Amino acid sequence: MEIRTEVKQMKACAPFVASMSAESRNHALERIACRLKEYEQEIFEENRKDLLAAEEAGIAASVIKRLKFDAGKLGDVFKGLRQLQTLPDPVGKITLRRELDEDLILERVTCPIGVIGVIFEARPDALVQISALCIKSGNCAVLKGGKETANTNRILFRVIHDSLVECGFPEKSLLQAELHNEIDELLECDDCVDLLIPRGSNRFVRYIMDNTRIPVMGHSDGLCHIYVDADADLKKVLPVIVDAKTQYTAACNAVETLLVNRSCAPAFLPAISEELKKNHVRIRGTKEVMELLPESGWAEETAEEDFREYLDLIVSVKLVADVDEAIDHINRNGSHHTDAILTENPETAKRFMNLVDSAGVYWNCSTRFADGFRYGFGAEVGISTGKLHARGPVGLEGLVTYKYRLCGNGQIVGDYAAGKREFHFRDLL
Amino acid sequence: MEIRTEVKQMKACAPFVASMSAESRNHALERIACRLKEYEQEIFEENRKDLLAAEEAGIAASVIKRLKFDAGKLGDVFKGLRQLQTLPDPVGKITLRRELDEDLILERVTCPIGVIGVIFEARPDALVQISALCIKSGNCAVLKGGKETANTNRILFRVIHDSLVECGFPEKSLLQAELHNEIDELLECDDCVDLLIPRGSNRFVRYIMDNTRIPVMGHSDGLCHIYVDADADLKKVLPVIVDAKTQYTAACNAVETLLVNRSCAPAFLPAISEELKKNHVRIRGTKEVMELLPESGWAEETAEEDFREYLDLIVSVKLVADVDEAIDHINRNGSHHTDAILTENPETAKRFMNLVDSAGVYWNCSTRFADGFRYGFGAEVGISTGKLHARGPVGLEGLVTYKYRLCGNGQIVGDYAAGKREFHFRDLL
């Protein structure tokens, strides 16, 4: 069946999925966990096919590691599913209850967004985690995973989908898109799909953002900064920078540019370059920076204003006069993802955190903390660098919206316009 | 100066505007009120020029009424400015405070969105109201008003802008775009403008949504429904329908389609058609509806499935079998703005309010209540039919976003990955 036809059917059943009880949604998560356990051998078997194909295709070992779905990964998946059941229900929360007038009660209540399209990288565990978040939040989801794990995705989807139907969810609560051209079909469904969450390379996410009228939540770039202030504690600084750069270089929250206060550069630069060299991190510094570095092959000069997201063992280094120049540089050149200041001066830290216009503003810790699990959200569908709806790591709260309920007894606006009646706003919460 | 250059400068000063204290923002609102009073004669003079030009251009009296800016309108503006000062500050609210680990505190704090572009109809009072909402919420705004009030807009903008500067706001806190082609320039500024709020005709708003990559908040259509249930109290029903249709026909929350339960149609239709006739409202009914109406010239038959936003004294009428058919019709044909059920049966009402996928779901009251003032928000920048960020009438809360602040003492992710340290999520709020 054409994906558009299926998504239309999903849209029609979304309100019913949205109104299912928290109990049945949690029960479905439990059922999914049991069924995955039941089918684990078949799942591992399908995954072996994907891994074999990947090896034959000569895919890099680092990538293959992400394709692998073994007992360990399945164990994490179970943990995630169980934890998700214990999290409070994001749906049906009354966030406003106001008496507008006698017998005229306004309520604002959280509800699922509806139909969410998720396009994610080749990671089987991502498929389970994303489906689980959508189920917990009462949303319908169209899932398109990476083709490198097609076999694993297919069986995981079947197990999850069948578990949902067993628990009384409509057939069309969850859809799988398998063909790449279905992505473009999906982008056209702006009358049925309420939100798109693309995960993957910058170029891919940018392509999605540029080719649909559906709202997109996510981030294309992750150009994160660390500003080393004049009042920084150098002992504290070195491990934080190394962690932010090397703990997982491919992550969007890894640091890409170091801004160093000119006054402490002479003392700081040789130390950090030594530390970075030990960790195989190459420096791309401005002329001024290079002059402060000992002769070395692992540092090279860059043109001014050439700052990139490397996702690799490379870091740009630039000197600034003060915190304000750092703030200005970050707001102009950054991706509004996560930026940190390292200083022992609370006033300077406060200024930085107030004026840097990013989803995450950190003081004396690694940018790598920008993550739904580390924030205690239980899980995340992604990290948003947009400012509307959800910003930063997005968990369950980012998957719900709200509606206003107004209950009356025949009230008409004309009476209020004519002054026959008056509103007396009284909050009941 | 080119608008793009000015907006770039605005973007650069936005963080400073965002960090101004609530006191200075409220003080600015007070100053604006005083200055407007001071300049009222000049303002009325400029407005007379606009009115004269409008009359010469043969603009409809109904429209000219909206262009008029007299002592009465100014009085309302003062009321609005004073009320806005008394509203709680939407900025700087801590909505999450969590200890991730010893000495590692995560906070989520509300902050202004940044740079907001507002394109609004020819209503001078709208210019003041929108500027005031942006100032109260710590945002910078680019304002483009209707050309029919160019003279009034110019002096109002000058008074407001100068009051801001007197109160220590940056020169570029507020910008006015006057030329129509500047709208298209503004749509290109997706690197500087964080949000666009267009107000005006469906076609205009749709044009904006289709021609920019900047997030757009607002609504193009307002196709609102009233479903008259089998258990409706006919005495209660008639005034509500008349109010929803006639109290202000040009409003987006006016009812456009009546769905009537077949079982009560024979009793109900003649009564409502009589009532609508008295109020000069023409009925466009399906064949089935027409057969139940007495011979009359003010009702005409329509093709099935032809439902429109009339914004006029016309209403579509269709019969449905039950609440579920009504819900399905609304979700398929509506604009997800505001839809009401009229019934004395709480179970039916509950089902309707749960399953109708609209920003406002009403029980036994007029759809015309969908409005920021009537919800007690003090004011509104518009009504959103989108589901993300803000839904329904949008007041101050819709003009802020949030950022995450993480304060540490040298923590690195590597220690947690290696199991040397563990998160203990403890909420401090």
Coordinates of all heavy atoms in Angstrom, one line a residue, chain A residues 98 108 113 206 213 236 243 353-354 356 359 361-364 366 373-375 377 387-389 391 397 401-404 406 408-411 413-414 425, chain B residues 98 108 113 206 213 215 236 243 353-354 356 359 361 363-364 366 373-375 377 387 389 391 397 401-404 406 408-411 413-414 425:
Chain A
R98 N -9.3 27.4 35.2 CA -9.7 28.7 35.5 C -11.2 28.9 35.3 O -11.8 28.5 34.3 CB -9.0 29.7 34.6 CG -9.3 31.2 34.7 CD -8.4 32.0 33.9 NE -7.0 31.9 34.4 CZ -5.9 32.3 33.6 NH1 -6.1 32.7 32.4 NH2 -4.7 32.2 34.1
R108 N -6.7 23.7 30.6 CA -5.7 23.3 29.6 C -5.1 22.0 29.9 O -4.7 21.8 31.1 CB -4.6 24.4 29.5 CG -3.5 24.1 28.4 CD -2.5 25.3 28.4 NE -1.9 25.5 29.7 CZ -1.3 26.6 30.0 NH1 -1.4 27.7 29.3 NH2 -0.8 26.7 31.2
I113 N 0.7 14.6 20.5 CA 0.8 15.5 19.3 C 0.0 14.8 18.2 O -0.7 15.5 17.4 CB 2.3 15.7 18.9 CG1 2.9 16.6 19.9 CG2 2.4 16.3 17.5 CD1 4.4 16.8 19.7
R206 N 19.3 18.6 7.3 CA 19.1 19.8 6.6 C 18.2 19.6 5.4 O 17.3 20.3 5.1 CB 20.4 20.4 6.2 CG 20.4 21.6 5.2 CD 19.6 22.8 5.8 NE 20.1 23.2 7.1 CZ 19.4 24.0 7.9 NH1 18.2 24.5 7.6 NH2 19.9 24.4 9.1
R213 N 6.8 20.8 4.6 CA 6.1 21.9 5.3 C 5.7 21.4 6.7 O 5.1 22.1 7.5 CB 4.9 22.3 4.5 CG 5.2 23.3 3.5 CD 4.0 23.7 2.6 NE 2.8 23.9 3.4 CZ 1.6 23.9 3.0 NH1 1.4 23.7 1.7 NH2 0.6 24.2 3.8
K236 N 41.3 22.1 36.7 CA 39.9 21.7 36.5 C 39.7 21.6 35.0 O 38.9 20.8 34.5 CB 39.0 22.6 37.2 CG 37.7 22.1 37.6 CD 36.8 23.1 38.3 CE 37.1 23.3 39.7 NZ 36.2 24.3 40.3
D243 N 37.6 15.6 27.9 CA 36.4 14.8 27.9 C 35.4 15.3 26.8 O 34.9 14.5 26.1 CB 35.7 14.9 29.3 CG 34.4 14.1 29.4 OD1 34.5 12.9 29.7 OD2 33.3 14.6 29.2
M353 N 26.1 32.6 31.0 CA 24.9 31.8 31.0 C 23.6 32.6 30.6 O 22.7 32.1 30.0 CB 24.7 31.0 32.3 CG 25.8 30.0 32.5 SD 25.8 29.3 34.2 CE 25.0 27.8 33.9
N354 N 23.6 33.9 31.0 CA 22.5 34.7 30.6 C 22.5 35.1 29.1 O 21.5 35.1 28.5 CB 22.4 36.0 31.5 CG 21.9 35.7 32.8 OD1 21.1 34.8 33.1 ND2 22.2 36.6 33.8
V356 N 24.5 33.8 26.5 CA 24.7 32.9 25.4 C 23.3 32.3 25.0 O 22.6 31.8 25.9 CB 25.7 31.8 25.8 CG1 25.6 30.6 24.8 CG2 27.1 32.3 25.8
A359 N 20.7 26.2 23.7 CA 19.7 25.3 24.5 C 20.4 24.9 25.8 O 19.7 24.7 26.8 CB 19.4 24.1 23.6
V361 N 23.6 25.9 28.5 CA 24.7 26.8 28.9 C 25.3 26.2 30.2 O 24.6 26.1 31.2 CB 24.2 28.3 29.1 CG1 24.0 29.0 27.7 CG2 22.9 28.4 29.9
Y362 N 26.6 25.8 30.1 CA 27.2 25.1 31.2 C 28.3 25.8 31.8 O 29.0 26.6 31.2 CB 27.8 23.8 30.6 CG 26.8 22.7 30.1 CD1 25.4 23.0 30.0 CD2 27.3 21.4 29.8 CE1 24.6 22.0 29.6 CE2 26.4 20.4 29.4 CZ 25.0 20.7 29.3 OH 24.2 19.7 28.9
W363 N 28.5 25.5 33.1 CA 29.5 26.2 33.9 C 30.3 25.1 34.6 O 29.8 24.3 35.3 CB 28.9 27.1 35.0 CG 29.8 27.8 35.9 CD1 31.2 28.0 35.7 CD2 29.5 28.3 37.2 NE1 31.7 28.7 36.7 CE2 30.7 28.9 37.7 CE3 28.4 28.3 38.0 CZ2 30.8 29.5 38.9 CZ3 28.5 28.9 39.2 CH2 29.6 29.5 39.7
N364 N 31.6 25.1 34.2 CA 32.6 24.1 34.8 C 32.2 22.6 34.7 O 32.3 21.9 35.6 CB 32.8 24.5 36.3 CG 33.7 25.7 36.4 OD1 34.3 26.1 35.4 ND2 33.8 26.2 37.6
S366 N 31.6 19.3 31.4 CA 31.8 18.9 30.0 C 30.5 19.1 29.2 O 29.4 18.8 29.6 CB 32.2 17.5 29.9 OG 32.1 17.0 28.6
F373 N 19.3 11.1 28.8 CA 19.5 10.2 29.9 C 20.2 10.9 31.1 O 19.9 10.8 32.2 CB 20.4 9.0 29.5 CG 19.7 8.1 28.5 CD1 19.8 8.2 27.2 CD2 18.8 7.1 29.0 CE1 19.2 7.4 26.3 CE2 18.2 6.2 28.1 CZ 18.4 6.4 26.7
R374 N 21.2 11.7 30.7 CA 22.0 12.4 31.7 C 21.2 13.5 32.4 O 21.5 13.9 33.5 CB 23.3 12.9 31.1 CG 24.2 11.8 30.6 CD 25.5 12.2 29.9 NE 26.0 11.1 29.3 CZ 26.4 11.0 28.0 NH1 26.3 12.1 27.2 NH2 26.9 9.9 27.4
Y375 N 20.2 14.0 31.7 CA 19.3 15.0 32.3 C 18.2 14.3 33.2 O 17.4 15.0 33.8 CB 18.6 15.8 31.3 CG 19.5 17.0 30.7 CD1 20.8 17.1 31.0 CD2 18.9 17.9 29.9 CE1 21.6 18.1 30.4 CE2 19.6 19.0 29.4 CZ 21.0 19.1 29.6 OH 21.7 20.1 29.1
F377 N 15.8 12.3 31.9 CA 14.5 12.2 31.2 C 14.1 10.7 30.9 O 13.1 10.5 30.3 CB 14.6 13.0 29.9 CG 14.8 14.4 30.1 CD1 15.1 15.2 29.0 CD2 14.6 15.0 31.3 CE1 15.3 16.6 29.1 CE2 14.8 16.4 31.5 CZ 15.1 17.2 30.4
K387 N 14.1 26.8 18.8 CA 13.7 27.4 20.1 C 12.3 27.2 20.4 O 11.8 27.5 21.5 CB 14.0 28.9 20.0 CG 15.4 29.3 20.0 CD 15.5 30.8 19.9 CE 16.8 31.3 20.4 NZ 16.8 32.8 20.3
L388 N 11.5 26.7 19.4 CA 10.1 26.6 19.7 C 9.7 25.2 20.1 O 10.4 24.2 19.8 CB 9.3 26.9 18.4 CG 9.5 28.4 17.9 CD1 8.5 28.7 16.8 CD2 9.3 29.4 19.1
H389 N 8.7 25.1 20.9 CA 8.2 23.8 21.4 C 9.1 23.1 22.4 O 8.9 23.1 23.6 CB 7.8 22.8 20.3 CG 7.1 21.6 20.7 ND1 5.8 21.7 21.3 CD2 7.4 20.3 20.8 CE1 5.4 20.5 21.6 NE2 6.4 19.6 21.3
R391 N 13.4 22.4 23.4 CA 14.7 22.9 23.2 C 15.6 21.9 24.0 O 15.3 21.5 25.1 CB 14.8 24.3 23.7 CG 16.0 25.1 23.2 CD 16.0 26.5 23.7 NE 17.0 27.3 23.0 CZ 17.4 28.5 23.4 NH1 16.9 29.0 24.5 NH2 18.4 29.1 22.7
E397 N 8.1 14.9 27.5 CA 7.4 16.2 27.5 C 7.4 16.9 26.1 O 6.4 17.6 25.8 CB 8.1 17.2 28.5 CG 7.7 16.9 29.9 CD 8.4 18.0 30.8 OE1 8.7 19.1 30.4 OE2 8.6 17.6 32.0
T401 N 1.4 17.9 23.3 CA 1.0 19.3 23.1 C -0.1 19.5 24.1 O -0.2 18.8 25.1 CB 0.5 19.6 21.7 OG1 0.0 21.0 21.6 CG2 -0.6 18.7 21.3
Y402 N -1.0 20.5 23.9 CA -2.2 20.6 24.9 C -3.4 21.1 24.1 O -3.3 21.5 22.9 CB -1.8 21.6 26.0 CG -1.4 23.0 25.5 CD1 -2.3 23.9 25.1 CD2 0.0 23.3 25.5 CE1 -1.9 25.2 24.6 CE2 0.4 24.6 25.0 CZ -0.6 25.5 24.6 OH -0.2 26.7 24.2
K403 N -4.5 21.0 24.7 CA -5.7 21.5 24.1 C -6.5 22.2 25.2 O -6.3 22.0 26.4 CB -6.6 20.5 23.4 CG -7.1 19.4 24.3 CD -8.3 18.6 23.7 CE -7.9 17.7 22.6 NZ -9.0 16.7 22.2
Y404 N -7.4 23.2 24.9 CA -8.2 23.9 25.8 C -9.6 23.3 25.8 O -10.2 23.2 24.8 CB -8.3 25.4 25.5 CG -7.0 26.2 25.8 CD1 -6.1 26.4 24.8 CD2 -6.7 26.6 27.1 CE1 -4.9 27.1 25.0 CE2 -5.5 27.3 27.4 CZ -4.6 27.6 26.3 OH -3.5 28.2 26.6
L406 N -13.4 24.0 27.3 CA -14.2 25.0 27.9 C -15.6 24.4 28.1 O -16.3 24.0 27.2 CB -14.3 26.3 27.0 CG -15.1 27.5 27.6 CD1 -14.5 27.9 28.9 CD2 -15.2 28.6 26.6
G408 N -19.4 25.0 29.6 CA -20.3 26.0 30.0 C -21.7 25.5 30.1 O -22.0 24.3 30.2
N409 N -22.7 26.5 30.2 CA -24.1 26.1 30.4 C -24.9 27.0 29.5 O -25.9 27.6 30.0 CB -24.4 26.2 31.8 CG -25.8 25.8 32.1 OD1 -26.4 25.0 31.4 ND2 -26.4 26.4 33.1
G410 N -24.5 27.2 28.2 CA -25.2 28.0 27.3 C -24.7 29.5 27.2 O -25.4 30.3 26.6
Q411 N -23.5 29.7 27.8 CA -23.0 31.1 27.7 C -22.7 31.6 26.3 O -22.3 30.8 25.4 CB -21.7 31.3 28.5 CG -21.9 31.2 30.0 CD -21.9 29.8 30.6 OE1 -22.0 28.9 29.8 NE2 -21.8 29.7 31.9
V413 N -21.0 35.0 23.9 CA -20.1 36.2 24.0 C -20.9 37.5 24.0 O -20.4 38.5 24.7 CB -19.1 36.1 22.9 CG1 -18.3 37.4 22.7 CG2 -18.1 34.9 23.1
G414 N -22.0 37.5 23.3 CA -22.8 38.7 23.2 C -23.1 39.4 24.6 O -23.0 40.6 24.7
F425 N -11.9 36.2 36.4 CA -11.0 35.1 36.3 C -10.5 34.6 37.6 O -9.9 35.3 38.4 CB -9.8 35.5 35.4 CG -10.2 36.0 34.0 CD1 -10.1 37.4 33.7 CD2 -10.8 35.2 33.1 CE1 -10.5 37.8 32.4 CE2 -11.2 35.6 31.9 CZ -11.0 36.9 31.5
Chain B
R98 N 17.2 20.1 39.2 CA 17.5 18.7 39.5 C 19.0 18.5 39.8 O 19.8 19.0 39.1 CB 17.1 17.9 38.3 CG 17.4 16.4 38.4 CD 16.8 15.6 37.2 NE 15.3 15.7 37.3 CZ 14.5 15.4 36.2 NH1 15.1 15.1 35.0 NH2 13.2 15.5 36.3
R108 N 16.1 24.3 34.4 CA 15.5 24.7 33.1 C 14.8 26.0 33.4 O 14.0 26.1 34.4 CB 14.5 23.7 32.6 CG 13.8 24.1 31.3 CD 12.9 22.9 30.8 NE 11.9 22.7 31.8 CZ 11.2 21.5 31.9 NH1 11.6 20.5 31.1 NH2 10.3 21.3 32.8
I113 N 12.2 34.4 23.3 CA 12.5 33.6 22.1 C 13.6 34.4 21.4 O 14.5 33.7 20.8 CB 11.2 33.5 21.2 CG1 10.3 32.5 21.9 CG2 11.6 33.1 19.8 CD1 8.9 32.3 21.2
R206 N -1.1 32.0 4.6 CA -0.7 30.8 3.9 C 0.6 31.2 3.0 O 1.5 30.4 3.0 CB -1.8 30.3 3.0 CG -1.5 29.2 2.0 CD -0.9 27.9 2.7 NE -1.8 27.4 3.7 CZ -1.4 26.5 4.6 NH1 -0.2 26.1 4.7 NH2 -2.3 26.0 5.5
R213 N 11.6 29.8 5.8 CA 12.0 28.7 6.6 C 12.0 29.1 8.1 O 12.3 28.2 9.0 CB 13.5 28.3 6.2 CG 13.5 27.4 5.0 CD 14.9 27.1 4.6 NE 15.8 26.7 5.7 CZ 17.1 26.8 5.6 NH1 17.7 27.1 4.5 NH2 17.8 26.4 6.7
P215 N 10.1 29.6 11.6 CA 8.9 29.0 12.2 C 7.8 30.1 12.2 O 8.1 31.3 12.5 CB 9.3 28.7 13.6 CG 10.8 28.5 13.6 CD 11.3 29.5 12.5
K236 N -31.4 26.0 24.9 CA -30.0 26.5 25.2 C -29.3 26.7 23.8 O -28.4 27.5 23.7 CB -29.3 25.4 26.0 CG -28.2 26.0 26.9 CD -27.6 24.8 27.7 CE -28.4 24.5 29.0 NZ -27.7 23.4 29.7
D243 N -25.2 33.4 18.5 CA -24.0 34.1 18.9 C -22.7 33.7 18.2 O -22.0 34.5 17.7 CB -23.8 33.9 20.4 CG -22.6 34.6 21.0 OD1 -22.8 35.8 21.4 OD2 -21.5 34.1 21.1
M353 N -15.0 15.9 23.4 CA -13.8 16.7 23.8 C -12.5 15.9 23.8 O -11.4 16.5 23.6 CB -14.1 17.3 25.2 CG -15.2 18.3 25.2 SD -15.7 18.8 26.8 CE -14.9 20.4 26.9
N354 N -12.6 14.6 24.1 CA -11.4 13.8 24.0 C -10.9 13.5 22.6 O -9.7 13.5 22.3 CB -11.6 12.4 24.7 CG -11.5 12.5 26.2 OD1 -10.9 13.4 26.7 ND2 -12.1 11.5 26.8
V356 N -12.0 15.1 19.5 CA -11.8 16.1 18.5 C -10.4 16.7 18.7 O -10.0 17.1 19.8 CB -12.9 17.2 18.7 CG1 -12.6 18.5 17.9 CG2 -14.3 16.7 18.2
A359 N -7.6 22.9 18.9 CA -7.0 23.7 20.0 C -8.0 24.0 21.1 O -7.7 24.0 22.2 CB -6.4 25.0 19.4
V361 N -11.9 22.7 22.5 CA -13.0 21.8 22.4 C -14.0 22.3 23.5 O -13.7 22.3 24.7 CB -12.6 20.3 22.6 CG1 -12.0 19.8 21.3 CG2 -11.7 20.2 23.8
W363 N -18.0 22.7 25.3 CA -19.2 22.1 25.7 C -20.2 23.1 26.1 O -20.0 23.8 27.1 CB -18.9 21.0 26.8 CG -20.1 20.3 27.3 CD1 -21.3 20.1 26.6 CD2 -20.3 19.6 28.5 NE1 -22.2 19.3 27.4 CE2 -21.6 19.0 28.6 CE3 -19.4 19.5 29.6 CZ2 -22.0 18.3 29.7 CZ3 -19.9 18.8 30.7 CH2 -21.2 18.2 30.8
N364 N -21.3 23.2 25.3 CA -22.4 24.1 25.7 C -22.1 25.5 25.9 O -22.5 26.2 26.8 CB -23.1 23.6 27.0 CG -24.0 22.4 26.7 OD1 -24.3 22.0 25.6 ND2 -24.5 21.7 27.8
S366 N -20.5 29.2 23.3 CA -20.2 29.7 21.9 C -18.7 29.6 21.6 O -17.8 29.8 22.4 CB -20.6 31.2 21.9 OG -20.1 31.8 20.7
F373 N -8.1 37.4 25.6 CA -8.7 38.2 26.7 C -9.8 37.3 27.4 O -9.7 37.3 28.7 CB -9.4 39.4 26.1 CG -8.5 40.4 25.5 CD1 -8.2 40.4 24.1 CD2 -7.9 41.4 26.3 CE1 -7.3 41.3 23.6 CE2 -7.0 42.3 25.7 CZ -6.7 42.2 24.4
R374 N -10.6 36.6 26.7 CA -11.7 35.9 27.3 C -11.1 34.7 28.1 O -11.7 34.2 29.0 CB -12.7 35.4 26.3 CG -13.4 36.6 25.7 CD -14.4 36.3 24.6 NE -14.7 37.5 23.9 CZ -14.6 37.7 22.6 NH1 -14.2 36.6 21.8 NH2 -14.9 38.8 22.0
Y375 N -9.9 34.3 27.8 CA -9.2 33.2 28.5 C -8.5 33.8 29.7 O -7.9 33.0 30.5 CB -8.2 32.4 27.6 CG -8.8 31.4 26.7 CD1 -10.2 31.3 26.5 CD2 -8.0 30.4 26.1 CE1 -10.7 30.3 25.7 CE2 -8.5 29.5 25.3 CZ -9.9 29.4 25.1 OH -10.4 28.4 24.2
F377 N -5.8 35.9 29.5 CA -4.4 36.0 29.3 C -3.9 37.5 29.2 O -2.8 37.8 29.0 CB -4.0 35.3 27.9 CG -4.2 33.9 27.9 CD1 -4.2 33.2 26.7 CD2 -4.4 33.1 29.0 CE1 -4.4 31.8 26.6 CE2 -4.6 31.8 29.0 CZ -4.6 31.1 27.8
K387 N 0.2 22.6 16.3 CA 0.2 21.9 17.6 C 1.4 22.0 18.4 O 1.5 21.7 19.5 CB 0.0 20.4 17.3 CG -1.4 20.0 16.8 CD -1.4 18.5 16.5 CE -2.8 18.0 16.5 NZ -2.8 16.5 16.3
H389 N 4.7 24.0 20.2 CA 5.0 25.3 21.0 C 3.8 25.9 21.6 O 3.6 25.7 22.8 CB 5.7 26.3 20.1 CG 6.2 27.5 20.8 ND1 7.2 27.3 21.8 CD2 5.8 28.8 20.9 CE1 7.4 28.5 22.3 NE2 6.6 29.4 21.8
R391 N -0.6 26.6 21.3 CA -1.8 26.1 20.6 C -3.0 27.0 21.2 O -3.0 27.3 22.4 CB -2.1 24.6 20.9 CG -3.0 24.0 20.0 CD -3.1 22.5 20.3 NE -3.9 21.8 19.3 CZ -4.4 20.6 19.4 NH1 -4.2 19.9 20.5 NH2 -5.0 20.0 18.4
E397 N 3.0 33.5 27.5 CA 3.6 32.2 27.6 C 4.1 31.7 26.3 O 5.1 30.9 26.2 CB 2.7 31.2 28.3 CG 2.5 31.3 29.8 CD 1.6 30.2 30.3 OE1 1.5 29.1 29.7 OE2 1.1 30.4 31.4
T401 N 10.7 30.8 25.5 CA 11.2 29.4 25.3 C 11.9 29.1 26.6 O 11.6 29.8 27.7 CB 12.1 29.3 24.1 OG1 12.6 28.0 24.0 CG2 13.3 30.3 24.1
Y402 N 12.8 28.2 26.6 CA 13.6 27.9 27.8 C 15.0 27.5 27.5 O 15.3 27.2 26.3 CB 12.9 26.9 28.7 CG 12.7 25.6 28.0 CD1 13.7 24.6 27.8 CD2 11.4 25.2 27.5 CE1 13.5 23.4 27.1 CE2 11.2 24.0 26.8 CZ 12.2 23.2 26.6 OH 12.0 22.0 25.9
K403 N 15.9 27.6 28.4 CA 17.2 27.0 28.2 C 17.6 26.2 29.4 O 17.0 26.4 30.5 CB 18.3 28.1 27.9 CG 18.4 29.1 29.0 CD 19.7 30.0 28.9 CE 19.7 31.0 27.8 NZ 20.9 31.9 27.9
Y404 N 18.6 25.3 29.2 CA 19.0 24.5 30.4 C 20.4 25.0 30.9 O 21.3 25.3 30.1 CB 19.2 23.0 29.9 CG 18.0 22.3 29.7 CD1 17.4 22.1 28.4 CD2 17.3 21.7 30.8 CE1 16.2 21.4 28.3 CE2 16.1 21.0 30.6 CZ 15.6 20.8 29.3 OH 14.4 20.2 29.2
L406 N 23.5 24.2 33.4 CA 24.1 23.1 34.1 C 25.3 23.6 34.8 O 26.2 24.2 34.2 CB 24.5 21.9 33.2 CG 25.1 20.7 33.9 CD1 24.1 20.1 34.9 CD2 25.5 19.6 32.9
G408 N 28.5 22.9 37.4 CA 29.3 21.8 37.9 C 30.5 22.3 38.6 O 30.7 23.5 38.9
N409 N 31.4 21.3 38.8 CA 32.6 21.6 39.5 C 33.8 20.8 38.9 O 34.5 20.1 39.5 CB 32.5 21.3 41.0 CG 33.8 21.7 41.7 OD1 34.5 22.6 41.3 ND2 34.0 21.1 42.8
G410 N 33.7 20.8 37.5 CA 34.8 20.0 36.8 C 34.3 18.6 36.4 O 35.2 17.8 35.9
Q411 N 33.0 18.3 36.5 CA 32.6 16.9 36.2 C 32.8 16.6 34.7 O 32.7 17.5 33.8 CB 31.1 16.7 36.5 CG 30.8 16.6 38.0 CD 30.6 17.9 38.7 OE1 31.0 19.0 38.1 NE2 30.1 17.9 39.8
V413 N 32.0 13.4 31.6 CA 31.1 12.3 31.3 C 31.9 11.0 31.4 O 31.3 10.0 31.8 CB 30.5 12.5 29.9 CG1 29.9 11.2 29.3 CG2 29.5 13.6 29.9
G414 N 33.2 11.0 31.1 CA 34.0 9.8 31.1 C 33.8 9.0 32.4 O 33.7 7.8 32.4
F425 N 19.5 11.2 40.4 CA 18.6 12.3 40.0 C 17.7 12.7 41.2 O 16.9 11.9 41.6 CB 17.7 11.9 38.8 CG 18.6 11.6 37.6 CD1 18.5 10.3 37.1 CD2 19.4 12.5 37.0 CE1 19.3 10.0 36.0 CE2 20.2 12.2 35.9 CZ 20.1 10.9 35.4

